[in-house]
């Protein structure tokens, strides 16, 4: 994914990570050393000259679906989940700014004292100025996941790919943690992901990516240097795209 000069062939990408990725070995909340490590991964890609935006889930703090399952009204639970993503975004902003990277948190729900509201043209301008953007509060609507928010924002920002950082190094035909014989795909189509229920992202996100021709690259966020390595044409990953 690099040209002969060693520079990434991607100019603008979106990194999607789960809230659980920020927990480290804890069972809940934020683990500051883990947040700092992920920030350093983003820094290494930023140094390549790649424009980076991010979407971070909120599952380490609150999941709307879990709250709904416990009897909470779904819309209220989803809004609580959106607020959890804002907390994670602010933590990541702090870690990135500690590395001297200009960062903006942009939320789909107005909270002017802590973050900017989402205005597409302003967000694009931040990227052009080489600032890292963290999109928070999902789409601003209940019933939509942060996966769908990531695909929506990546499309609006004209990103060339979504990089989804997970605990495994790609997409497998079954859970590799439970099934050692699981096989990893190098490439898989959007329709195969949907038909085989491969769990890359939810169906709405996959369909939106397919309709906009937006590749999804699934890689291990636990591998040091993995994000930059893939942009440098190295490492192990699965790419989801049309044939």
């Amino acid at each position: 994914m690099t040209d002969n000069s060693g520079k990434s062939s991607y100019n603008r990408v979106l990194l999607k990570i789960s809230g659980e990725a920020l927990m480290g070995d804890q069972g809940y909340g934020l683990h500051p050393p883990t947040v700092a490590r992920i920030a350093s991964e983003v820094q290494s890609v930023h140094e390549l000259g790649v424009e980076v935006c991010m979407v971070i889930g909120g599952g380490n703090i609150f999941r709307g679906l879990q709250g709904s399952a416990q009897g909470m009204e779904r819309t209220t639970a989803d809004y609580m989940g959106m607020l959890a993503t804002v907390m994670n975004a602010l933590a990541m902003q702090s870690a990135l700014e500690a590395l001297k990277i200009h960062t903006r948190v942009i939320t789909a729900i107005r909270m002017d004292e802590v973050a900017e509201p989402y205005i597409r043209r302003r967000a694009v301008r931040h990227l052009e100025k080489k600032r890292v953007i963290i999109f928070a509060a999902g789409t601003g609507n209940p019933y939509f996941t942060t996966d769908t928010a990531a695909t929506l924002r990546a499309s609006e920002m004209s990103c060339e790919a979504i990089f989804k950082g997970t605990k495994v190094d790609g997409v497998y035909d079954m859970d590799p943690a439970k099934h050692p014989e699981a096989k990893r795909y190098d490439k898989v189509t959007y329709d195969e992901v949907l038909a085989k229920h491969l769990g890359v992202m939810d169906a709405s996100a996959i369909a939106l990516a397919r309709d906009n021709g937006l590749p999804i690259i699934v890689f291990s966020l636990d591998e040091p240097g993995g994000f930059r390595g893939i942009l440098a044409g190295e490492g192990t990953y699965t790419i989801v795209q049309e044939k």
Side-chain angles (χ1 to χ4, degrees):
M1 297 182 186
T2 57
D3 57 27
N4 292 331
S5 67
K7 184 178 179 181
S8 170
S9 58
Y10 288 113
N11 296 311
R12 182 179 295 171
V13 300
L14 184 141
L15 174 63
K16 166 64 171 70
I17 60 176
S18 67
E20 287 89 344
L22 306 183
M23 294 192 307
D25 294 329
Q26 302 175 154
Y28 177 83
L30 289 158
H31 183 239
T34 300
V35 177
R37 180 182 63 79
I38 295 173
S40 69
E41 295 282 325
V42 175
Q43 178 191 36
S44 68
V45 169
H46 185 262
E47 288 172 347
L48 290 175
V50 178
E51 296 171 4
V52 181
C53 47
M54 301 178 67
V55 170
I56 307 172
N60 57 318
I61 299 172
F62 189 85
R63 279 191 177 279
L65 277 173
Q66 288 179 354
S68 179
Q70 293 171 8
M72 187 176 293
E73 196 271 324
R74 173 66 187 271
T75 301
T76 299
D78 279 355
Y79 278 120
M80 292 173 68
M82 291 180 218
L83 296 178
T85 72
V86 176
M87 296 172 69
N88 286 338
L90 292 173
M92 184 59 65
Q93 179 186 39
S94 178
L96 287 166
E97 289 181 340
L99 297 173
K100 311 300 182 186
I101 297 174
H102 295 292
T103 308
R104 297 290 185 273
V105 173
I106 297 180
T107 71
I109 299 173
R110 292 193 71 103
M111 46 186 80
D112 296 344
E113 288 77 11
V114 297
E116 294 183 12
Y118 177 70
I119 299 171
R120 189 185 68 84
R121 288 180 179 271
R122 182 185 292 175
V124 169
R125 186 63 179 144
H126 284 319
L127 288 172
E128 291 172 346
K129 290 184 176 181
K130 306 302 181 184
R131 296 166 181 158
V132 171
I133 294 177
I134 307 172
F135 293 113
T139 66
N141 302 287
Y143 296 95
F144 290 92
T145 67
T146 52
D147 281 345
T148 301
T151 310
L152 174 64
R153 296 298 184 231
S155 299
E156 290 179 302
M157 294 297 104
S158 300
C159 291
E160 293 152 336
I162 296 174
F163 282 73
K164 180 161 185 183
T166 68
K167 292 186 177 297
V168 293
D169 58 357
V171 179
Y172 287 77
D173 59 355
M174 58 185 80
D175 186 348
K178 298 178 181 177
H179 304 278
E181 72 278 12
K183 296 181 179 179
R184 186 181 60 80
Y185 296 94
D186 288 326
K187 295 181 180 179
V188 64
T189 68
Y190 304 109
D191 290 339
E192 286 174 325
V193 169
L194 293 172
K196 296 177 180 178
H197 304 286
L198 294 178
V200 176
M201 288 180 162
D202 66 72
S204 297
I206 294 294
L208 184 58
R210 178 190 61 196
D211 293 347
N212 288 281
L214 187 62
I216 303 167
I217 295 163
V218 183
F219 70 104
S220 173
L221 197 65
D222 291 340
E223 183 69 28
F227 188 19
R228 181 187 175 111
I230 293 170
L231 283 163
E234 304 166 356
T236 304
Y237 58 90
T238 299
I239 183 166
V240 181
Q241 60 183 8
E242 291 289 4
K243 289 183 180 178

